[in-house]
């Protein structure tokens, strides 16, 4: 495989899509060796076909605010690859959303979904709409307008979107309501649904729970556990919330959380009533981090900073892409951090990732670490198809087993000659082999 040539062609075709280029390069670098060992992939053009989405739908979303003023946002759905199952991946509503970010996320999703062992292809979508500060009625009108276009290309056996940044249970409810009205059918077309209308128990916590299950397996390879460990989390959304609960259950202490405006350091630990308090604040659709330090005086708010300067044993970035740069990574390692597990998608810059890998600390990449979210979405799809609902214990046990299996696959493909487990390589190769073989079996389509 001529990696540089493939990357040059990609950059030429899609200039300026930096996150997309970054994600493709990272995967290609780590699978280069196995591609070269399997000439059938090259002759079938597997790489060239894999790095381009199957299709991209882009549309305008006009909606009216509470004052009667009309706004126009952009909406997208990237259907990346369906070699092993229907397209599957979240919707992100955030002002930073553009095609490059959605293509990076959709590309990563292919391998993540393959790792779960469930039959799901890769996709992603979203809008540059900002739910922050909007009323529930405005969010509803936006979601309805968004679905008026999206419904044309999704379906329970075709493409099954879910939540992501800015899209939680409330937004999924509004989107599902409109889909149902347009299609006149009650099917499992979205995941992350409410429990009373097709949702799965554990789905809201699943990405955070799965992250901690995976990190627990990583720590176990060094005969370590969460017991007594300090943990830095960033963000405080769908993902960080579940992670905080599970870390507490495993005896660890979460000492930071963050928002775009800065971070909170609470040496006493962010547990119990404090987590409840944060959830209440989040429900207001406003910036939520700073008020924490006013409510709990033992905590300090550091404006405009990121939590990676705090001395901790474990770091779980749970906010957004490229939120740990090279210097942050150096600081974490110098402060004795032994494990970084990426709960957010691509939170480490390539330079930061190299710092972690070169220092040989435990480093888990997003596509393995946070796969518990989509895996539980897959379990929601299964329950919808069977028209049955599993208990909390059943779903949690399946999620736990999936995370243990993903960890095992990473160890299988990522263990180096010196015994160090390169989870980045392990996850990329394990996911790639499954998808590439399915593409070969399906012929040139
Ligand atoms: P949420 O919107 O629920 O939470 C994101 C959190 O990060 C919020 O607390 C937000 O603060 C904060 N945040 C956003 N941007 C920044 C920034 N630039 N700097 C610091 N903090 C920031 O999203 P999710 O929890 O759903 O998603 C978080 C990450 O996890 C994303 O990378 C997503 O792709 C990934 N992920 C999510 C899954 C899921 O099941 N939800 C599944 C797999 C991956 P504020 O609200 O104040 O803006």
């Amino acid at each position: 495989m001529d990696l540089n040539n493939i990357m040059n062609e990609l950059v030429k075709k899609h200039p300026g899509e930096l996150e997309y280029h970054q994600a493709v390069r990272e995967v290609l670098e780590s699978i280069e060796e196995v591609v070269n060992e399997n000439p059938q992939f090259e002759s079938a053009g597997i790489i060239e076909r894999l790095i381009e989405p199957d299709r991209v739908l882009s549309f305008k979303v006009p909606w009216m605010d509470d004052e009667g003023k009309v706004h126009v946002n952009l909406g997208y759905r990237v259907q990346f690859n369906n070699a092993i199952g229907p397209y599957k991946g979240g919707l992100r509503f955030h002002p930073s959303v553009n095609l490059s970010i959605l293509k990076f996320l959709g590309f990563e999703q292919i391998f993540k979904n393959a790792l779960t062992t469930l039959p799901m292809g890769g996709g992603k979508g979203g809008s540059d709409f900002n739910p922050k500060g909007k009323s529930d009625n405005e969010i509803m009108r936006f979601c309805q307008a968004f679905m008026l276009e999206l419904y044309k290309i999704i379906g329970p056996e075709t493409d099954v979107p879910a939540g992501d940044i800015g899209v939680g249970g409330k937004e999924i409810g509004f989107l599902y309501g409109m889909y149902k009205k347009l299609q006149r059918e009650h099917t499992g077309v979205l995941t992350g649904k409410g429990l009373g209308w097709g949702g799965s128990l554990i789905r809201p916590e699943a990405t955070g729970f799965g992250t901690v299950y995976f990190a627990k397996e990583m720590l176990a390879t060094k005969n370590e556990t969460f017991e007594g460990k300090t943990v830095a989390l960033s963000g405080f959304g769908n993902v960080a919330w579940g992670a905080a609960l599970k870390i507490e259950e495993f005896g660890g202490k979460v000492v930071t959380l963050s928002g775009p405006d800065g971070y909170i350091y609470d040496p006493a630990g962010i547990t119990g009533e404090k987590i409840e308090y944060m959830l209440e604040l989040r429900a207001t659709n406003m910036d939520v981090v700073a008020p924490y330090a006013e409510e709990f005086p033992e905590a300090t708010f550091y404006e405009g900073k990121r939590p990676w300067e705090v001395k901790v044993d474990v770091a779980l970035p749970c906010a957004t892409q490229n939120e740990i740069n090279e210097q942050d990574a150096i600081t974490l390692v110098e402060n004795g951090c032994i494990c970084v597990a990426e709960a957010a998608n691509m939170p480490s810059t390539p330079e930061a990732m190299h710092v972690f890998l070169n220092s040989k600390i435990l480093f888990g990449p997003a596509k393995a670490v946070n796969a518990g979210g989509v895996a539980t979405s897959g379990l929601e799809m299964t329950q919808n198809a069977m028209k049955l609902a599993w208990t909390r214990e059943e779903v949690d046990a399946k999620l736990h087993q999936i995370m243990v299996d993903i960890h095992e696959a990473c160890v299988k493909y990522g263990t180096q000659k010196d015994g160090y487990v390169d989870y980045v390589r392990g996850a990329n190769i394990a996911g790639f082999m499954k998808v590439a073989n399915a593409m070969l079996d399906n012929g040139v389509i």
Side-chain angles (χ1 to χ4, degrees):
M1 168 170 74
D2 187 344
L3 197 151
N4 284 333
N5 191 36
I6 291 175
M7 284 309 301
N8 288 342
E9 285 297 315
L10 190 78
V11 171
K12 220 173 1 173
K13 279 190 215 159
H14 308 285
E17 298 190 356
L18 302 183
E19 294 85 358
Y20 174 40
H21 305 158
Q22 180 183 337
V24 172
R25 176 172 281 282
E26 186 230 284
V27 170
L28 295 194
E29 278 176 356
S30 56
I31 61 171
E32 193 172 9
E33 208 177 303
V34 292
V35 174
N36 290 337
E37 285 164 7
N38 289 276
Q40 70 276 24
F41 293 154
E42 181 128 30
S43 57
I46 294 290
I47 297 299
E48 289 80 355
R49 286 157 56 199
L50 191 58
I51 63 179
E52 284 289 344
D54 288 351
R55 70 191 59 78
V56 175
L57 175 70
S58 109
F59 49 93
K60 72 174 179 208
V61 190
W63 60 279
M64 193 179 282
D65 69 20
D66 289 343
E67 275 70 53
K69 182 171 167 25
V70 173
H71 302 261
V72 178
N73 284 98
L74 301 175
Y76 308 92
R77 185 70 183 168
V78 179
Q79 295 184 329
F80 223 113
N81 183 293
N82 67 353
I84 62 169
Y87 303 105
K88 177 95 195 86
L91 297 172
R92 178 177 290 193
F93 292 169
H94 191 271
S96 65
V97 164
N98 57 40
L99 206 46
S100 170
I101 288 183
L102 296 180
K103 281 160 78 175
F104 121 61
L105 289 164
F107 183 69
E108 291 277 297
Q109 197 81 45
I110 305 169
F111 308 100
K112 180 187 309 189
N113 294 0
L115 283 172
T116 66
T117 69
L118 303 175
M120 300 181 291
K124 201 81 190 183
S127 171
D128 58 358
F129 171 74
N130 187 2
K132 202 60 93 43
K134 303 286 190 303
S135 71
D136 284 355
N137 279 334
E138 287 172 331
I139 291 175
M140 180 180 74
R141 283 195 292 275
F142 174 79
C143 288
Q144 292 176 339
F146 185 85
M147 187 51 86
L148 270 174
E149 286 296 326
L150 186 69
Y151 89 98
K152 295 171 187 165
I153 62 160
I154 63 173
E157 303 297 338
T158 317
D159 183 350
V160 185
D164 190 71
I165 292 180
V167 179
K170 179 167 59 186
E171 291 77 13
I172 293 290
F174 295 145
L175 291 162
Y176 189 71
M178 194 58 173
Y179 178 84
K180 200 171 51 162
K181 188 177 174 88
L182 292 164
Q183 286 292 48
R184 293 173 294 112
E185 51 183 39
H186 209 305
T187 54
V189 74
L190 290 158
T191 55
K193 298 187 288 301
L195 280 181
W197 38 279
S200 173
L201 285 159
I202 305 275
R203 178 61 190 92
E205 307 91 323
T207 310
F209 277 17
T211 293
V212 179
Y213 291 147
F214 192 90
K216 181 170 172 265
E217 294 300 307
M218 294 169 80
L219 288 168
T221 65
K222 301 279 180 204
N223 296 321
E224 295 279 1
T225 67
F226 269 104
E227 191 64 45
K229 299 273 185 311
T230 49
V231 182
L233 296 187
S234 60
F236 198 78
N238 301 320
V239 174
W241 163 69
L245 290 180
K246 196 50 91 178
I247 290 163
E248 188 183 1
E249 186 186 320
F250 286 167
K253 184 159 75 166
V254 173
V255 293
T256 71
L257 52 85
S258 72
D261 47 344
Y263 79 90
I264 290 290
Y265 173 55
D266 184 346
I270 299 165
T271 58
E273 56 153 344
K274 295 173 173 176
I275 295 177
E276 289 299 319
Y277 171 77
M278 289 305 294
L279 287 173
E280 280 165 31
L281 279 182
R282 269 198 74 69
T284 62
N285 298 338
M286 304 301 286
D287 280 342
V288 294
V289 176
Y292 182 102
E294 289 156 29
E295 184 76 13
F296 304 106
E298 61 273 34
T300 312
F301 175 59
Y302 292 90
E303 192 174 353
K305 294 190 142 195
R306 293 188 286 209
W308 317 125
E309 59 188 22
V310 175
K311 186 172 162 39
V312 286
D313 301 311
V314 177
L316 304 181
C318 298
T320 193
Q321 65 273 359
N322 293 328
E323 57 167 312
I324 302 183
N325 64 25
E326 185 174 23
Q327 188 50 53
D328 296 326
I330 292 170
T331 307
L332 278 166
V333 172
E334 284 180 354
N335 278 341
C337 177
I338 59 165
C339 175
V340 177
E342 295 186 326
N345 281 313
M346 207 166 75
S348 312
T349 64
E351 297 77 21
M353 196 172 79
H354 287 129
V355 171
F356 296 137
L357 292 175
N358 291 339
S359 57
K360 306 233 161 173
I361 67 164
L362 297 167
F363 175 69
K367 63 173 73 67
V369 173
N370 70 26
V374 72
T376 309
S377 280
L379 300 178
E380 183 174 327
M381 288 163 71
T382 307
Q383 293 170 78
N384 292 163
M386 296 192 306
K387 310 228 182 284
L388 282 176
W390 291 326
T391 63
R392 195 175 168 83
E393 289 71 29
E394 279 175 292
V395 180
D396 197 24
K398 287 184 168 62
L399 166 65
H400 196 162
Q401 189 58 49
I402 287 171
M403 297 317 295
V404 169
D405 291 347
I406 296 175
H407 182 268
E408 212 173 285
C410 291
V411 171
K412 177 177 167 193
Y413 287 102
T415 302
Q416 308 294 282
K417 287 198 182 88
D418 62 0
Y420 176 67
V421 181
D422 182 339
Y423 288 90
V424 177
R425 195 177 140 80
N428 284 337
I429 294 177
F432 168 75
M433 289 303 283
K434 183 169 179 188
V435 175
N437 283 320
M439 289 172 73
L440 275 186
D441 291 347
N442 288 171
V444 181
I445 49 168

